[in-house]
Amino acid sequence: GMPEPPAPVLAPRRRSRKIHVGSVAVGGDAPVSVQSMCTTKTTDIGATLQQIAELTAAGCDIVRVAVPSQDDADALPAIASRSPLPIVADIHFQPRYVFQAIDAGCAGVRVNPGNIRKFDDKVGEIARAASDAGVALRIGVNAGSLDRRLLEKYGRATPEAMVESAVWEASLFEDVGFHDFAISVKHHDPVVMIQTYRLLAERGDWPLHLGVTEAGPAFQGTIKSSVAFGVLLAEGIGDTIRVSLSAPPIEEVRVGLQVLESLNLRQRRLEIVSCPSCGRAQVDVYTLAEQVTEGLQGLKVPLRVAVMGCVVNGPGEARDADLGVASGNGKGQIFVKGKVVRTVPESEIVPTLLSEANRLAEGMAPS
Ligand code: SF4
């Protein structure tokens, strides 16, 4: 059939330079990527690879692991060589782990200049090692660990202070001819975070890694991150994102993908169009929508499934979707590609939708 027209987006992407984190391009015209971070001990190689496999299946693009000790650094070669996703080693305090991570075959290293003593003196050596190995860096400035000099100058982690820190460190790398890095300037307050990234975006063409740090438990963290990312991405700012939740990392990936899909920055996979239900609902919409979502979780094709509680908007939305149900009187009218294919009792709605969805999916290319 005819190719679908491209989905509308809110703003052109800010022009950033493109870097490569292993096989994943970040910046330039590369799609905005989704990152997460393992919660396993890096020394537990099996558990870490298992979590990475789950993150891969959920659609994660890049994964970070913590390197707080020598034993963690020693685990990096096994993880980097067996991970299907590019590995970024997260380094604070100990510059020697930066070199170990590079030697271990990590695709990227995150350095926090505020947490590495005399970081500036080591920039040349780090840049040389990264450049020789084709490893990308992230200069990860964080409100909670801002460079002391800037904390003294500004009194606290203001947008200006964080941007000054990031721009200074970036200039040190650029002065030695190294350009393969992204920057993040994370703050826990979405308003300050937005101001900081806006300011940084004007100062150079670095690819930007977005994050609201310590965003909190799943509900609060999802909203804080989504609001902040939404504002920036709607202005074209942001090349890769990490949602930080006090929840399993797979949730971070789901939220991140959903944010990008909501802004048409990523092709939708499964989309459930379901009504909030109201006094008119003639079936249990919540349960139906949940069961359909659950049953279609692994689907890799862009499928729109409408689950509607009554005939007010039901037939319209169901007809518009690839697949849908409009309920009434304890029955469901099942729509496929705009046509009613049959009417089933309430208990048959979910199984019918799932089997129709799988049948449709077989005929579609994965997104
Ligand atoms: Fe209410 Fe029907 Fe609209 Fe659902 S589709 S919210 S049940 S009017």
Side-chain angles (χ1 to χ4, degrees):
M2 287 275 288
E4 297 250 339
V9 292
L10 288 165
R13 284 274 292 285
R14 162 181 165 269
R15 292 170 75 98
S16 60
R17 65 182 179 230
K18 190 189 279 188
I19 65 169
H20 289 88
V21 182
S23 56
V24 178
V26 173
D29 61 358
V32 179
S33 48
V34 172
Q35 314 207 5
S36 187
M37 185 162 181
C38 284
T39 52
T40 50
K41 296 283 180 215
T42 305
T43 49
D44 190 342
I45 295 167
T48 301
L49 286 168
Q50 174 59 37
Q51 194 169 56
I52 292 171
E54 287 163 18
L55 291 170
T56 310
C60 186
D61 298 305
I62 297 169
V63 66
R64 186 154 48 112
V65 297
V67 189
S69 77
Q70 184 58 50
D71 288 344
D72 296 300
D74 292 341
L76 292 175
I79 294 170
S81 65
R82 284 151 68 191
S83 167
L85 299 181
I87 297 287
V88 175
D90 193 60
I91 315 279
H92 302 259
F93 309 114
Q94 277 291 354
R96 74 166 187 277
Y97 299 155
V98 174
F99 301 105
Q100 268 195 270
I102 291 170
D103 289 342
C106 290
V109 178
R110 180 274 173 115
V111 291
N112 179 345
N115 270 348
I116 298 184
R117 259 170 55 82
K118 300 222 166 90
F119 182 81
D120 296 1
D121 300 343
K122 299 180 177 81
V123 162
E125 213 184 327
I126 292 173
R128 205 168 322 115
S131 170
D132 288 349
V135 167
L137 301 179
R138 168 159 64 97
I139 299 173
V141 173
N142 200 300
S145 51
L146 186 63
D147 191 315
R148 296 188 66 85
R149 293 167 293 190
L150 292 156
L151 210 50
E152 277 158 27
K153 177 169 168 191
Y154 288 92
R156 66 201 155 84
T158 61
E160 292 74 18
M162 294 179 66
V163 168
E164 190 172 323
S165 173
V167 170
W168 166 251
E169 299 302 340
S171 75
L172 294 179
F173 280 102
E174 285 162 355
D175 285 350
V176 295
F178 186 79
H179 299 272
D180 299 333
F181 60 89
I183 301 182
S184 61
V185 280
K186 299 191 184 181
H187 197 285
H188 63 86
D189 181 329
V191 171
V192 180
M193 179 274 196
I194 291 165
Q195 292 171 327
T196 309
Y197 277 96
R198 278 179 175 162
L199 207 57
L200 182 62
E202 287 174 3
R203 299 286 302 273
D205 68 349
W206 313 288
L208 300 184
H209 165 123
L210 303 186
V212 175
T213 191
E214 289 105 34
F219 181 76
Q220 178 190 295
T222 296
I223 292 170
K224 273 187 165 185
S225 300
S226 304
V227 168
F229 294 0
V231 168
L232 290 166
L233 291 167
E235 296 170 6
I237 297 172
D239 300 289
T240 183
I241 63 174
R242 192 261 170 125
V243 177
S244 301
L245 299 179
S246 307
I250 195 164
E251 294 302 322
E252 300 185 344
V253 172
R254 290 199 181 121
V255 173
L257 287 169
Q258 203 63 229
V259 167
L260 297 180
E261 287 181 9
S262 300
L263 292 169
N264 290 341
L265 293 172
R266 174 135 343 200
Q267 192 186 24
R268 289 178 187 282
R269 295 208 279 183
L270 177 63
E271 181 185 8
I272 305 285
V273 178
S274 65
C275 80
S277 104
C278 70
R280 284 192 201 88
Q282 294 176 330
V283 293
D284 179 355
V285 177
Y286 295 178
T287 307
L288 284 184
E290 238 161 59
Q291 288 175 343
V292 171
T293 307
E294 193 57 39
L296 297 179
Q297 200 63 255
L299 220 60
K300 294 275 188 279
V301 294
L303 202 63
R304 234 158 85 94
V305 184
V307 179
M308 303 291 290
C310 81
V311 292
V312 170
N313 293 319
E317 289 288 2
R319 200 171 291 126
D320 250 19
D322 295 301
L323 180 67
V325 59
S327 312
N329 276 334
K331 297 197 198 80
Q333 274 190 316
I334 307 290
F335 288 75
V336 176
K337 297 282 181 195
K339 296 210 170 57
V340 180
V341 293
R342 80 188 88 137
T343 300
V344 298
E346 186 169 349
S347 61
E348 289 298 306
I349 291 175
V350 172
T352 309
L353 284 176
L354 296 186
S355 71
E356 289 293 341
N358 286 314
R359 214 173 46 77
L360 278 178
E362 273 170 33
M364 294 168 86
S367 64

